Amino acid sequence: MKGIVVGSANTDLIIHVDKLPALGNTEVGHGFTRGPGGKGANQAVCLSQLGVDTHFIGRFGKDEFSSILIEDIKSYGVRLNYSVIDEKRQGGVVFIVVDKTGNNTMIADFGSNMYLSAEDIENAEKLFDDADLLLLQFEVSEEANKKAISIAKRNDCRIVLNPAPFRIFDPEILSNVDVITPNLFELSQILKYLEGKDIVKQDEMDIDRIEKAARILLERGVSCVVVTLGSRGCLYLDKSEVRKFGTFRVQPVDSTAAGDTFTSAFALKYTEGKSIDDAIRFASAAAAIVVTRKGAIKSIPTIEEVEDFLQRNRIQKFQ
Ligand code: RIB
């Protein structure tokens, strides 16, 4: 299996706190770490850890953090031959604050990532000749994503979009997307943008409303939608079925990169032609492991770790 990830790579500066500070206040945090991250790089490392021949196309900055980031990503076996170093810009940096429930808030400066151009993707065109899978997110320029989609489409490559973090985008791209994996916040933002009204609110956990909302993405041409619902599980929809899945019960430490890991692991199993049950179980297990560890890339498991976890744990029923 050959996978391409077009996306971001960031240096994550992570600090843990008991609770987030109120405006104007200082909270004392602990456990500061600096580590490799970025939704694109996280997804690429995940594919590689799961045994996929993985190529990452991104635009790195010219600074000390970026040099370390490049070496870190390479050390996981991800190929960067078609990534670019932007001599004029600094790379992406993200401040992440994780609370004691494992949930996080982030402030990002995506730096050079946002300058990944259509030309950068064109220069990597031959990579797509025999690729099976393309993963995309929203932390690089829209023109890069669109170019990648058009080349992947010509080459019969499966296209998976993790629409995170939400931003305004050209809805035309949806008709070429095979799999989309929004969380509830992203789903609500996308639909507000597409339909001009609140169809499902982030704190609205009524599954029938979520299903109705996700159907709109199917109507826009996406082949299947997986709405991730955190510790509750996920909702899967395609034209012929709707399924609710629970997830594995774990003690959360840091949810950073859980969504990226879920997307990559699901995309892999889906592309391999595994059943939806197996693909979701596998992706949920990989994401559950991530949640029990600190950091982004550093928390992503190997295929052996996921298989071992699956042997020892049972997925919960959706509630
Ligand atoms: O999804 C987690 C990632 O989002 C972090 O690694 C951070 O870099 C941001 O891109």
Side-chain angles (χ1 to χ4, degrees):
M1 173 84 57
K2 176 174 170 183
I4 300 175
V5 180
V6 167
S8 59
N10 299 319
T11 299
D12 290 346
L13 306 173
I14 308 180
I15 193 155
H16 288 251
V17 291
D18 285 345
K19 64 175 174 62
L20 296 175
L23 202 64
N25 280 4
T26 300
E27 274 299 319
V28 177
H30 53 89
F32 171 75
T33 52
R34 189 194 70 210
K39 293 189 194 304
N42 296 344
Q43 292 182 8
V45 166
C46 181
L47 281 187
S48 184
Q49 293 278 77
L50 298 177
V52 177
D53 171 22
T54 308
H55 299 256
F56 175 74
I57 310 175
R59 185 167 267 265
F60 290 92
K62 182 89 180 155
D63 55 86
E64 212 178 307
F65 279 178
S66 299
S67 310
I68 299 168
L69 183 57
I70 290 169
E71 291 314 312
D72 273 339
I73 297 169
K74 276 191 192 159
S75 73
Y76 289 90
V78 175
R79 301 213 232 169
L80 300 183
N81 311 38
Y82 288 92
S83 279
V84 180
I85 295 180
D86 190 321
E87 299 288 332
K88 290 195 232 112
R89 297 189 173 86
Q90 74 158 45
V93 175
V94 180
F95 293 93
I96 304 180
V97 183
V98 183
D99 73 11
K100 65 176 175 204
T101 68
N103 287 313
N104 61 36
T105 44
M106 303 188 197
I107 301 172
D109 177 348
F110 294 128
S112 54
N113 291 296
M114 280 298 166
Y115 294 85
L116 186 69
S117 65
E119 203 187 336
D120 293 335
I121 308 299
E122 264 164 14
N123 292 338
E125 187 163 353
K126 70 171 190 282
L127 264 187
F128 290 76
D129 287 353
D130 56 349
D132 303 288
L133 176 61
L134 168 69
L135 293 181
L136 302 165
Q137 331 73 39
F138 281 164
E139 289 184 348
V140 295
S141 72
E142 168 123 314
E143 65 165 72
N145 276 350
K146 280 175 130 178
K147 181 55 78 180
I149 289 173
S150 75
I151 300 175
K153 202 70 200 164
R154 283 205 299 278
N155 287 281
D156 271 337
C157 180
R158 186 146 275 164
I159 301 169
V160 177
L161 173 66
N162 177 220
F166 170 77
R167 70 168 182 218
I168 302 297
F169 63 100
D170 179 354
E172 288 292 307
I173 65 170
L174 292 174
S175 58
N176 287 320
V177 167
D178 296 297
V179 180
I180 190 165
T181 58
N183 64 21
L184 194 53
F185 176 72
E186 289 142 11
L187 179 70
S188 70
Q189 294 295 305
I190 292 172
L191 292 172
K192 195 168 174 184
Y193 164 59
L194 293 179
E195 304 283 306
K197 54 183 189 247
D198 275 333
I199 296 190
V200 56
K201 298 211 170 67
Q202 200 202 341
D203 54 3
E204 170 72 77
M205 289 299 267
D206 175 342
I207 202 72
D208 294 333
R209 292 193 62 170
I210 298 171
E211 177 190 328
K212 213 166 140 200
R215 268 193 193 289
I216 297 171
L217 295 177
L218 292 181
E219 283 156 19
R220 294 273 180 158
V222 177
S223 311
C224 90
V225 184
V226 187
V227 185
T228 56
L229 301 168
S231 59
R232 209 175 168 204
C234 66
L235 178 72
Y236 170 90
L237 282 91
D238 61 26
K239 290 243 159 62
S240 51
E241 61 174 338
V242 181
R243 309 277 305 277
K244 290 172 247 174
F245 293 91
T247 189
F248 294 90
R249 204 171 284 148
V250 288
Q251 191 59 49
V253 172
D254 178 359
S255 64
T256 309
D260 307 325
T261 299
F262 182 94
T263 294
S264 284
F266 178 78
L268 168 61
K269 294 295 160 185
Y270 186 81
T271 306
E272 282 178 350
K274 294 285 187 291
S275 70
I276 296 306
D277 273 85
D278 285 349
I280 298 276
R281 219 168 73 85
F282 185 83
S284 304
I289 296 172
V290 168
V291 167
T292 63
R293 298 174 176 175
K294 287 186 178 176
I297 282 181
K298 287 181 179 156
S299 70
I300 297 172
T302 60
I303 181 107
E304 291 78 16
E305 288 173 317
V306 181
E307 279 165 359
D308 178 60
F309 182 93
L310 282 167
Q311 297 278 327
R312 292 183 293 101
N313 294 278
R314 267 171 190 271
I315 197 161
Q316 303 293 307
K317 283 216 168 70
F318 183 85
Q319 290 175 359

